[in-house]
Amino acid sequence: MKQSAFESIHEGLWNDFEGQLVKFEALAMRRSVENEDREQFIDNFELISKHLAFAKTRGYSLELVDHLNQLVTRGHFVLHKSQANPLDNIFEFFVTGFAREVRRARYFVLVAAISFLLPAIVIGAMIQYSPHYITSVLSSGQIQQFERMYSSTEARIGRERSGASDIAMFGFYVYNNTQIGLRAFASGVLFCLPSILVLGFNGLFISAIINHLSVIGLGNTIFSFVIGHSAFELTAIVLSGAAGIMLGYALIHPGALPRREAVRRIGASAAKIALGAALMFILAAFIEAFWSSLRFVSPEIKYLVGACFWVLTFSYFLFAGRNADRETTSRT
């Protein structure tokens, strides 16, 4: 390819990249380059680096090689300076970034929430209308087990063995919760359906237990137990399923991209949501083990604390990082 043709084809990209450099050189010094802008910048940087190597190989003019070399050098400076401390990145993600990712994926979250809540509402109404429907979800042995766990004879609510330590139960809850989240997330790559089924089953199972215990007179016990950790645990289940549905959607509807590239792009956001959900599962397990099971705390106090956790959860996902959202929108 002649140099004139090479310049004609790529000059627009070089000019755009130079414009990005002017903006990003100032932002990089404050380490405030947004993730989306950074990804686009890296893509352009890699292309121009290839252009530089190609120009050198073909023996193009020193003026062109020098110009491309300056672009690559300045780009490397921006990338180096915008690298924040990894701990800063983690802190920023959980303070605002997680909420922003969830808001961007709000339609997937809505689908996941419906998949979880619809079976829960249906089986709950059925059991309230006719209690024998519980046997369509749980075996007689499981029913007896849950009735014992939430009876007045247990020293700790929600435990069949009163001797189990809080730490042991915390480990059990972490393992159980993260297993649910991992299934809901990872199975979604099979075209969404497995994630939807995992969400539906969990909604069905949880609702069946709660409504059965409510019908037999243990409603105050079960509700005061679950209210404390429910905001984090149930939200994490829905978000894990939403992340899985995102992966499946990329396979079903890749748009103009190859499926592998579509999954790679949406997978980065889905993985962040799954990571945030994992932290919520751990937090829920901690509350469930060390707070929810306490008998000496009155149900009224547990309801109040649980309500505060729900308000906190909704407020975080609705408002955290809103200023950064507006800044990103104004720049685009």
Side-chain angles (χ1 to χ4, degrees):
M1 180 185 296
K2 292 183 178 181
Q3 178 175 328
S4 58
F6 180 73
E7 290 178 323
S8 176
I9 293 172
H10 300 296
E11 190 172 13
L13 172 63
W14 301 339
N15 291 335
D16 290 342
F17 185 71
E18 192 161 15
Q20 286 180 311
L21 281 170
V22 173
K23 179 178 70 173
F24 286 2
E25 280 168 341
L27 292 173
M29 296 304 295
R30 302 195 302 271
R31 292 182 174 179
S32 58
V33 177
E34 295 293 332
N35 288 336
E36 299 85 352
D37 295 337
R38 181 180 172 81
E39 290 176 4
Q40 183 185 22
F41 185 86
I42 290 174
D43 288 341
N44 292 341
F45 174 76
E46 290 176 348
L47 280 175
I48 294 174
S49 297
K50 292 177 181 178
H51 294 168
L52 174 60
F54 183 79
K56 289 180 178 179
T57 302
R58 297 301 297 267
Y60 290 159
S61 69
L62 291 177
E63 182 182 358
L64 175 61
V65 171
D66 183 62
H67 177 58
L68 295 177
N69 188 64
Q70 286 185 27
L71 293 179
V72 171
T73 301
R74 291 169 64 190
H76 185 270
F77 170 83
V78 167
L79 293 175
H80 175 73
K81 286 295 182 181
S82 64
Q83 286 286 352
N85 186 309
L87 294 178
D88 292 340
N89 287 338
I90 293 173
F91 179 77
E92 187 278 333
F93 172 72
F94 286 118
V95 171
T96 60
F98 179 33
R100 295 179 64 199
E101 291 292 343
V102 170
R103 287 198 296 273
R104 291 191 190 104
R106 56 189 176 276
Y107 298 115
F108 296 104
V109 175
L110 178 61
V111 171
I114 293 172
S115 301
F116 179 81
L117 290 174
L118 187 59
I121 293 171
V122 170
I123 193 63
M126 291 172 63
I127 292 174
Q128 290 292 331
Y129 175 75
S130 182
H132 77 273
Y133 281 116
I134 185 62
T135 57
S136 64
V137 180
L138 301 175
S139 66
S140 58
Q142 289 175 313
I143 294 171
Q144 293 174 8
Q145 179 185 7
F146 283 111
E147 289 176 356
R148 286 196 301 270
M149 289 167 60
Y150 296 95
S151 70
S152 59
T153 61
E154 290 297 313
R156 290 277 189 170
I157 306 173
R159 302 182 188 179
E160 194 172 12
R161 298 186 303 277
S162 59
S165 70
D166 292 341
I167 295 176
M169 294 308 298
F170 172 63
F172 171 77
Y173 293 142
V174 169
Y175 175 79
N176 184 65
N177 290 349
T178 53
Q179 285 291 306
I180 294 172
L182 184 61
R183 284 196 296 269
F185 171 54
S187 63
V189 76
L190 300 176
F191 302 97
C192 299
L193 184 59
S195 287
I196 293 174
L197 292 177
V198 170
L199 288 167
F201 172 78
N202 279 277
L204 189 79
F205 188 78
I206 294 170
S207 177
I209 295 170
I210 291 175
N211 279 278
H212 170 70
L213 294 175
S214 175
V215 166
I216 65 172
L218 296 175
N220 195 42
T221 303
I222 184 63
F223 285 123
S224 64
F225 173 75
V226 301
I227 188 64
H229 57 274
S230 61
F232 303 114
E233 183 174 322
L234 300 185
T235 303
I237 292 174
V238 170
L239 294 182
S240 297
I245 293 171
M246 291 170 70
L247 296 178
Y249 180 81
L251 285 173
I252 296 171
H253 188 72
L257 298 173
R259 281 190 167 83
R260 178 180 297 181
E261 178 65 16
V263 171
R264 185 189 71 81
R265 292 195 179 189
I266 204 170
S269 178
K272 291 176 183 177
I273 293 174
L275 175 63
L279 181 68
M280 294 185 72
F281 276 130
I282 295 172
L283 182 57
F286 181 85
I287 296 170
E288 188 172 2
F290 295 98
W291 167 259
S292 298
S293 60
L294 297 177
R295 279 200 176 275
F296 65 81
V297 179
S298 68
E300 291 76 16
I301 293 178
K302 288 186 176 180
Y303 290 139
L304 177 61
V305 172
C308 290
F309 284 152
W310 274 107
V311 171
L312 177 65
T313 300
F314 276 111
S315 298
Y316 170 74
F317 287 114
L318 286 174
F319 303 115
R322 282 287 184 185
N323 290 336
D325 285 343
R326 285 192 287 268
E327 289 175 6
T328 301
T329 301
S330 66
R331 288 202 301 269
T332 55

